Amino acid sequence: MNRFSTLLLALALSTGPASLALADTPGADWMPADQVKQKLMAAGYTSITEFEADDGHWEGEGVKNGVKMQFHAAPKTGAILSEKPDK
């Protein structure tokens, strides 16, 4: 392995996990989690069982119309971007 490859490997190992952790942290301009949960409840969810920031949006699981659902919500508005039955 040449010096350049060694340097790239060292850089990837030292910064990789840190950058992944940042992707799962709500941004400063994101709607607070409690407000997003309120919007989900207003949209028909009767419970929210899992909820987290992931890949640039809010995501989680809950119960809507008696069906366990997975959802994604917009980070800044809390609007539901997608939802589907959880299998």
Side-chain angles (χ1 to χ4, degrees), residues 28-53:
D29 58 345
W30 283 30
M31 179 178 278
D34 289 341
Q35 289 180 13
V36 177
K37 289 177 185 179
Q38 288 175 356
K39 289 188 89 164
L40 290 164
M41 299 299 265
Y45 281 84
T46 54
S47 68
I48 307 296
T49 56
E50 292 185 29
F51 190 83
E52 66 182 355

Side-chain angles (χ1 to χ4, degrees), residues 1-12:
M1 192 181 294
N2 65 34
R3 276 193 231 174
F4 183 70
S5 296
T6 304
L7 178 62
L8 285 177
L9 178 60
L11 183 61

Side-chain angles (χ1 to χ4, degrees), residues 60-84:
E61 296 178 358
V63 177
K64 184 176 183 179
N65 299 323
V67 178
K68 189 173 180 181
M69 304 286 285
Q70 292 180 339
F71 60 81
H72 293 112
K76 296 180 183 180
T77 66
I80 297 172
L81 299 173
S82 68
E83 57 188 350
K84 65 181 181 178

